[in-house]
Amino acid sequence: MRDMINYIVFGWYPYLCLTVFLLGSLVRFDREQYTWRSGSSQLLRRRQLTWGSNLFHVGILLIFAGHFVGLLTPIWVFDTLGISHTFKQWLAIVIGGVAGIACFVGMTLLIHRRLFDPRIRTTSSFGDIAILLILYVQLILGLSTIFVSLGHLDGHEMVKFMTWAQGILTLQPGVSAAIADVHPIFKAHLFLGMTIFLLFPFTRLVHIWSAPVWYLGRRGYQVVRTRRPMIPAE
């Protein structure tokens, strides 16, 4: 029974989450573009928003990049570069810990602002508050895994997660067995992380897809106004 639950949660559930994540985002963009926004409330308690938003976004981007590179880079790449599992484990703990603390402080400011300012609370939907609290719990779980990771600095536990994540993306059957015996807090962190992907298309998180990275390569332009009266064309 235990093996079956592990297979369903870590062998089948990831594909459900990824499917809903991709197709749901596409359908929402196609059918409900007006809702494709983050719902800004920046005119209210702006200073707290600035600090909270900056800390949250810097922290979460570093965490996401760390997870993406750490989990999806083939093990042989690290071996070729001479990066040991122990060094990689310490790197994840230190950088992940600093980014996690910054993100935690930022999210605490954002949650306090959204829940305890009556004006902002009134303009917030159930989804806005729910996804913020879910991310908060996920962040706390992630920070809690650091204390467990300190007990196995050889990095072999991390290799299990790399094997699982890469196996899911390469459609390897039975890969859920790779993490069958890991600490429960890691499993809770993985499960909630996948659930966030499942909920993604139905929340304000979709604005991530609209990050204006194309501005970096955009040609500059200048709007010039003239004082001369415009003569209408006949």
Side-chain angles (χ1 to χ4, degrees):
M1 184 64 179
R2 182 179 178 182
D3 292 338
M4 177 60 67
I5 294 176
N6 186 78
Y7 173 75
I8 293 174
V9 176
F10 300 107
W12 175 80
Y13 188 58
Y15 294 110
L16 172 64
C17 296
L18 288 174
T19 301
V20 174
F21 169 69
L22 295 174
L23 292 183
S25 297
L26 181 62
V27 171
R28 182 171 177 184
F29 180 76
D30 182 60
R31 299 176 61 89
E32 301 181 26
Q33 291 190 23
Y34 180 74
T35 66
W36 195 278
R37 56 193 176 88
S38 61
S40 176
S41 59
Q42 63 183 0
L43 297 179
L44 304 175
R45 301 186 72 162
R46 190 165 185 173
R47 184 175 182 182
Q48 186 174 357
L49 173 64
T50 300
W51 278 101
S53 180
N54 287 337
L55 287 172
F56 165 71
H57 283 94
V58 170
I60 203 71
L61 287 174
L62 286 174
I63 291 172
F64 179 79
H67 280 69
F68 185 85
V69 174
L71 290 175
L72 300 183
T73 301
I75 297 176
W76 64 265
V77 174
F78 291 106
D79 294 338
T80 301
L81 296 175
I83 300 176
S84 65
H85 296 325
T86 299
F87 179 80
K88 184 174 180 290
Q89 181 77 71
W90 271 113
L91 197 64
I93 290 174
V94 174
I95 297 180
V98 173
I101 291 173
C103 189
F104 179 80
V105 173
M107 287 200 70
T108 302
L109 291 172
L110 294 176
I111 290 175
H112 176 271
R113 174 180 175 273
R114 187 163 293 275
L115 294 183
F116 294 99
D117 188 307
R119 298 173 299 173
I120 300 176
R121 180 70 180 270
T122 301
T123 59
S124 301
S125 66
F126 171 79
D128 292 339
I129 297 174
I131 195 63
L132 194 59
L133 293 177
I134 290 173
L135 288 173
Y136 199 53
V137 173
Q138 174 70 344
L139 178 61
I140 293 173
L141 285 174
L143 288 172
S144 300
T145 62
I146 293 177
F147 301 102
V148 181
S149 297
L150 289 173
H152 45 78
L153 293 175
D154 54 7
H156 291 300
E157 200 79 355
M158 180 179 289
V159 173
K160 295 180 181 179
F161 299 120
M162 296 172 66
T163 302
W164 171 77
Q166 294 170 30
I168 289 295
L169 291 183
T170 54
L171 307 179
Q172 296 181 19
V175 74
S176 59
I179 57 173
D181 59 346
V182 299
H183 195 282
I185 197 168
F186 286 115
K187 291 187 175 183
H189 187 53
L190 288 174
F191 175 77
L192 189 55
M194 292 185 292
T195 302
I196 291 173
F197 277 89
L198 181 70
L199 298 175
F200 181 95
F202 313 103
T203 67
R204 64 190 297 166
L205 293 179
V206 291
H207 77 278
I208 295 173
W209 290 118
S210 300
V213 294
W214 55 276
Y215 276 111
L216 297 176
R218 180 180 178 182
R219 294 180 61 185
Y221 64 89
Q222 181 179 8
V223 177
V224 180
R225 295 181 179 180
T226 177
R227 295 181 178 273
R228 293 179 299 176
M230 297 298 294
I231 301 176
E234 297 181 358

